[in-house]
Amino acid sequence: MIDIGWERPLHQRGVASGLAVTRDHVVVHERGTRLVSLDPADGSVRWDVPVGTWPRAVVVAGDRCLVLPQDRPRLSCLDLATGQPIWSAEVPAVPGHLVVAANVVLVGGWRGYTPLRAFDLATGQLRWEAESHTVLPVPAGEGFLLGEPGDTRVRLLDRHEGRELSAWRLPQPLADNDAGSVISAVGPGRSLLRCGPRALAEIDLSADTAREFFRADTDLAAAAPDPAGGSLWLAERRGGYTVVDPAGGVLKWRVDVGERLVGEVVPTANGFLVASASGTLFHLTSDGRIAKRTSVARRIWGLRRAGTDQLFALAKGSLLAIKIRNSAGLE
């Protein structure tokens, strides 16, 4: 079902925040201070530039690549095709979050250490600044949806001016994921948010109130639901997934592989792939049953999908390109 297409040594431990993948581009941090762009087909290097150490985030937005390193208070915008710098902007130390919506780049707000700053994607010009302690913001409607961990209030800020467009009260406090997101935009004007130990709340941008969409039977991880294969995959605190119908909020099944899972859920022709931290890919049937196990590495730090037939795994010290073949016969 899978083939290892190529492997690239990183000469460091792989970090999920240092990898950005699209169908046509793979950008990864390696060798302590370098950012490289690789051809997804064969792993050949397109460009190799110095950017600083252990990036807090690498984001591909259209024809640009944005990177936020930890060792310097600077946001850099690179040309995705060549790696050449387009602009850079000074930011406060420890900004944390990096999100792009349309033509606006939002930085800051992590743990409340630094204010949110919005930059123009084309020019790097500062558009607005606002004090906020927020989970990783998510683009929604005409702005960014954000909220403080442990608080019940979430807000929609206009991406052009930073003013508050709307605000809602959640049925339970917003979950706290220090690095990742707890919010998923799952349709036009609709977002789902992890709140409390077991709940998922729903916000419709056209409505004044939020509602509880789903409550699990076990504690959930502080992570955004992962929409994959027509279902919502909710990571459980002890490993595994609770899988929910995205329309009605009804439990479909649970997945328990007996190991801690990492990365994204990857749909295949007849099921799904999930990865464990121990380096195993689990092939699941369309109803979540384990059909096969494939060991691909000694450890996996992150998994990213790129289209329907390829994914990338951050292994122990290397990046693996994995090709998904026809999964007929899994059932």
Side-chain angles (χ1 to χ4, degrees):
M1 183 179 175
I2 65 170
D3 293 312
I4 305 298
W6 50 265
E7 180 174 4
R8 180 174 177 85
L10 301 178
H11 305 286
Q12 66 181 31
R13 179 177 68 83
V15 56
S17 62
L19 174 65
V21 171
T22 70
R23 176 178 289 278
D24 301 314
H25 298 275
V26 178
V27 181
V28 65
H29 187 262
E30 63 174 43
R31 290 172 289 151
T33 62
R34 311 295 295 190
L35 194 69
V36 298
S37 173
L38 307 174
D39 188 313
D42 58 13
S44 58
V45 177
R46 290 171 170 168
W47 48 260
D48 179 339
V49 298
V51 295
T53 62
W54 298 109
R56 298 183 184 278
V58 175
V59 174
V60 170
D63 60 358
R64 304 200 169 185
C65 177
L66 296 121
V67 58
L68 194 62
Q70 290 196 32
D71 66 337
R72 62 195 67 176
R74 179 176 294 274
L75 169 67
S76 296
C77 177
L78 310 176
D79 183 281
L80 183 58
T82 66
Q84 292 297 310
I86 298 175
W87 55 261
S88 64
E90 295 292 331
V91 294
V94 201
H97 300 317
L98 170 58
V99 184
V100 180
N103 59 345
V104 177
V105 183
L106 189 66
V107 177
W110 181 64
R111 296 184 179 178
Y113 291 158
T114 61
L116 289 170
R117 288 188 171 187
F119 297 92
D120 187 278
L121 177 60
T123 65
Q125 180 180 357
L126 180 66
R127 289 191 170 196
W128 53 266
E129 183 174 322
E131 295 293 331
S132 182
H133 175 195
T134 179
V135 299
L136 182 69
V138 170
E142 293 299 311
F144 297 95
L145 193 62
L146 49 87
E148 182 175 344
D151 196 359
T152 58
R153 186 171 184 263
V154 293
R155 300 180 295 151
L156 181 69
L157 299 188
D158 177 80
R159 67 172 177 265
H160 301 293
E161 302 173 356
R163 62 188 176 87
E164 184 176 295
L165 297 175
S166 300
W168 299 265
R169 287 287 178 185
L170 299 176
Q172 295 186 54
L174 194 63
D176 184 3
N177 185 329
D178 193 51
S181 179
V182 296
I183 307 172
S184 285
V186 293
R190 180 176 178 241
S191 296
L192 296 175
L193 308 88
R194 268 285 295 113
C195 57
R198 299 185 174 187
L200 199 60
E202 179 184 47
I203 285 178
D204 186 323
L205 298 187
S206 64
D208 295 328
T209 58
R211 72 179 184 97
E212 185 173 282
F213 178 73
F214 175 77
R215 185 186 292 265
D217 294 329
T218 188
D219 287 353
L220 300 174
D226 185 2
S231 298
L232 293 173
W233 296 68
L234 310 179
E236 297 179 357
R237 185 175 294 276
R238 294 186 177 181
Y241 288 98
T242 290
V243 185
V244 179
D245 172 60
V250 177
L251 176 67
K252 298 178 72 172
W253 61 76
R254 290 182 62 197
V255 175
D256 184 3
V257 302
E259 298 186 43
R260 185 171 68 87
L261 299 175
V262 297
E264 301 179 1
V265 177
V266 179
T268 66
N270 285 0
F272 305 91
L273 283 175
V274 296
S276 73
S278 66
T280 299
L281 290 181
F282 291 85
H283 310 242
L284 308 179
T285 63
S286 58
D287 57 357
R289 293 178 288 111
I290 299 175
K292 186 180 178 183
R293 296 170 172 85
T294 304
S295 179
V296 296
R298 287 184 294 167
R299 188 163 184 85
I300 292 179
W301 298 102
L303 194 69
R304 296 283 189 274
R305 54 191 167 194
T308 59
D309 60 353
Q310 191 172 33
L311 61 142
F312 295 88
L314 276 170
K316 187 175 182 179
S318 65
L319 178 67
L320 298 176
I322 301 173
K323 200 73 173 178
I324 305 173
R325 292 184 279 109
N326 191 318
S327 58
L330 264 187
E331 299 288 335

